[in-house]
């Protein structure tokens, strides 16, 4: 991308703008997730058919993510993000309009494809801004995504409680988030490809480095998906707790992850990506052991909290490392994102299948083993600890080219 030098104030402004875009992206996800029961009723699908349909967002994302680099190269980083985030926010309305299983699957495929491409574009810009700032920001950006998801889900919960039609709710949410997304994109870096820069392939397999980094992300996202979807069930069925206490466990896990992401950048700047992930992996393993052998609700809840604390910053650091692992950051980030999306897709069903064959406790033994992979393979994130260029002096900057 462009070698244009930006003033420190412009880069800092771009950081806050990208953080806001992350929040918008998360708000779409939160808005959708809370209205899935309404969408199921409206499209008249069974639980099994809904499970099939919910695989299509990840499928759409996996197919479309490798295209994001080509879009950014052709239109420039700012215009690409502007277009992709608008497509994503507008796609929110599609699932609630689907009258049957086929149209629901198609709607969710488009929904996932636009989500994935916007995800790659905003993470690539986040890595570029991190490079220019010379300090870690990716963990905080993903923390903003979590905050946006929380806001979107809170609004969706209120809409569902009031009995509103999801088509109306999502139309209003989509319109508001589209306006906000386009507004925030005005202040991101307007990076353009250089004249001698080779355009990325329109579709290509991710480089080997991205596969290794993605494997680390796979372990973290698997543990996250398993904990989010099964922690309440574990406490209720395995430890015989009340439904309220079981739900509180899931809330505690989510809160721990969000807090860890907001403070994670300071930890990464002090200790580096590799040491941070290894320490986090050790905490996640300890949490997994408490879940499996604790035998008491309070101990298990502490275990889930440690699990959330340990894995919270892994995915942001995987994106950061991918963005510095080779000559084509967008392609590497797309590869890592595809692997992590896949992990999030298969984790809940894999845990359920294993639990049915053995027990839920054995399922979390698997989660603990995968968390140990963070300790063993954190070294592949060393690319994220390369020296980052500091902000250039304001005198060297050029005027911001807002459109």
């Amino acid at each position: 991308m462009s070698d244009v030098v930006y003033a420190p104030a412009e880069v800092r402004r771009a950081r806050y703008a990208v953080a806001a875009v992350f929040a918008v992206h998360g708000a779409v996800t939160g808005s959708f997730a809370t209205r899935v029961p309404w969408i199921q009723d409206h499209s008249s699908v069974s639980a099994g058919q809904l499970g099939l349909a919910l695989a299509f967002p990840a499928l759409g994302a996996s197919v479309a993510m490798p295209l994001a680099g080509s879009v950014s190269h052709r239109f420039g980083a700012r215009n690409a993000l502007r277009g992709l985030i608008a497509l994503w926010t507008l796609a929110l309305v599609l699932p609630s309009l689907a009258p049957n299983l086929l149209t629901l699957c198609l709607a969710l495929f488009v929904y996932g494809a636009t989500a994935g491409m916007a995800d790659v574009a905003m993470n690539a810009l986040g890595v570029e801004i991190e490079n220019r700032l010379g300090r870690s920001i990716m963990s905080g950006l993903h923390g903003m995504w979590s905050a946006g998801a929380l806001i979107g889900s809170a609004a969706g919960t209120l809409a569902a409680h009031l009995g509103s039609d999801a088509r109306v709710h999502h139309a209003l949410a989509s319109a508001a988030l589209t306006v906000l997304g386009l507004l925030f994109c005005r202040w991101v870096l307007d990076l353009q490809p250089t004249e001698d820069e080779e355009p990325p392939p329109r579709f290509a397999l991710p480089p080997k480095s991205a596969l290794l980094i993605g494997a680390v992300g796979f372990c973290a996202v698997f543990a996250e998906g398993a904990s989010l979807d099964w922690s309440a069930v574990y406490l209720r069925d395995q430890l015989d707790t009340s439904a309220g206490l079981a739900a509180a466990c899931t809330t505690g896990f989510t809160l721990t992850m969000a807090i860890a992401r907001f403070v994670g950048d300071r930890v990464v700047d002090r200790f580096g990506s590799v040491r941070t992930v290894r320490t986090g992996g050790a905490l996640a393993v300890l949490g997994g052991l408490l879940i499996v052998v604790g035998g008491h609700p309070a101990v298990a809840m502490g275990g889930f909290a440690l699990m959330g604390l340990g894995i919270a910053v892994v995915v942001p650091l995987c994106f950061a490392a991918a963005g510095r692992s080779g000559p084509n950051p967008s392609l590497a980030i797309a590869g890592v994102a595809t692997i992590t999306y896949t992990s999030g897709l298969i984790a809940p069903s894999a845990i359920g299948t294993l639990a049915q064959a053995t027990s839920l406790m054995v399922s979390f033994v698997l989660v603990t083993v995968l968390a140990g992979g963070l300790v063993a393979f954190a070294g592949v994130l060393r690319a994220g600890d390369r020296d980052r260029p500091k902000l250039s002096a304001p005198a060297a900057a050029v005027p911001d080219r807002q459109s």
Side-chain angles (χ1 to χ4, degrees):
M1 280 294 176
S2 171
D3 293 328
V4 171
V5 180
Y6 287 87
E10 291 175 319
V11 180
R12 284 192 289 270
R13 182 180 65 182
R15 173 192 178 181
Y16 297 132
V18 170
V21 172
F22 268 78
V24 168
H25 195 287
V28 176
T29 302
S31 298
F32 166 74
T34 54
R35 305 312 306 270
V36 169
W38 190 98
I39 292 170
Q40 179 184 8
D41 292 340
H42 177 70
S43 57
S44 301
V45 298
S46 66
Q49 290 173 326
L50 178 64
L52 172 65
L54 290 176
F56 275 78
L59 180 60
S62 299
V63 170
M65 278 176 173
L67 304 175
S70 173
V71 173
S72 293
H73 185 274
R74 180 173 181 179
F75 298 103
R78 179 189 290 170
N79 285 334
L81 182 61
R82 180 182 287 146
L84 292 173
I85 199 68
L87 288 175
W88 165 231
T89 53
L90 292 172
L92 173 61
V93 304
L94 297 179
S96 61
L97 299 176
N100 52 50
L101 177 61
L102 177 60
T103 54
L104 180 60
C105 290
L106 292 174
L108 290 175
F109 183 90
V110 175
Y111 173 87
T114 55
M117 289 194 291
D119 199 345
V120 171
M122 68 189 192
N123 273 285
L125 262 172
V127 172
E128 180 64 30
I129 294 169
E130 183 175 270
N131 287 340
R132 292 174 182 247
L133 285 171
R135 62 178 182 272
S136 176
I137 67 167
M138 292 300 291
S139 180
L141 293 181
H142 283 253
M144 287 296 293
W145 189 96
S146 298
L150 180 62
I151 293 170
S153 63
T157 300
L158 177 61
H161 179 71
L162 295 175
S164 75
D165 189 309
R167 292 169 293 188
V168 176
H169 164 216
H170 283 169
L172 294 174
S174 174
L177 292 172
T178 300
V179 171
L180 289 174
L182 293 175
L183 175 65
F184 296 138
C185 284
R186 288 178 56 84
W187 295 291
V188 303
L189 298 184
D190 189 18
L191 303 176
Q192 300 289 339
T194 58
E195 292 183 0
D196 59 346
E197 184 177 341
E198 290 289 332
R202 292 185 179 179
F203 192 94
L205 294 176
K208 182 180 179 181
S209 59
L211 296 178
L212 296 174
I213 294 168
V216 175
F218 181 95
C219 294
V221 174
F222 193 98
E224 179 181 354
S227 299
L228 278 174
D229 287 7
W230 288 96
S231 57
V233 178
Y234 187 91
L235 259 72
R236 186 195 64 190
D237 295 351
Q238 201 73 29
L239 301 178
D240 198 27
T241 66
S242 66
L245 188 61
C249 178
T250 303
T251 302
F253 171 81
T254 305
L255 181 62
T256 303
M257 282 199 67
I259 293 173
R261 282 180 169 172
F262 278 117
V263 303
D265 290 320
R266 297 181 183 178
V267 177
V268 174
D269 281 334
R270 181 168 183 179
F271 298 106
S273 302
V274 176
R275 292 174 64 186
T276 299
V277 171
R278 280 181 177 156
T279 303
L283 289 175
V285 170
L286 176 59
L289 292 174
L290 292 177
I291 294 167
V292 172
V293 304
H296 190 276
V299 176
M301 291 178 73
F304 280 112
L306 282 176
M307 183 75 73
L309 182 65
I311 65 176
V313 301
V314 176
V315 171
L317 293 182
C318 286
F319 282 123
R324 301 188 189 97
S325 64
N328 196 328
S330 292
L331 184 59
I333 290 172
V336 169
T338 300
I339 294 171
T340 55
Y341 267 63
T342 302
S343 179
L345 172 66
I346 69 173
S349 59
I351 292 297
T353 301
L354 183 58
Q356 186 171 3
T358 55
S359 71
L360 199 51
M361 182 179 294
V362 173
S363 295
F364 275 95
V365 171
L366 173 62
V367 173
T368 305
V369 171
L370 289 175
L374 301 178
V375 180
F377 303 113
V380 302
L381 303 182
R382 203 170 304 280
D385 287 334
R386 292 177 184 172
D387 291 337
R388 301 164 181 154
K390 298 295 182 179
L391 283 171
S392 302
V398 298
D400 187 28
R401 302 182 302 283
Q402 289 192 14
S403 53

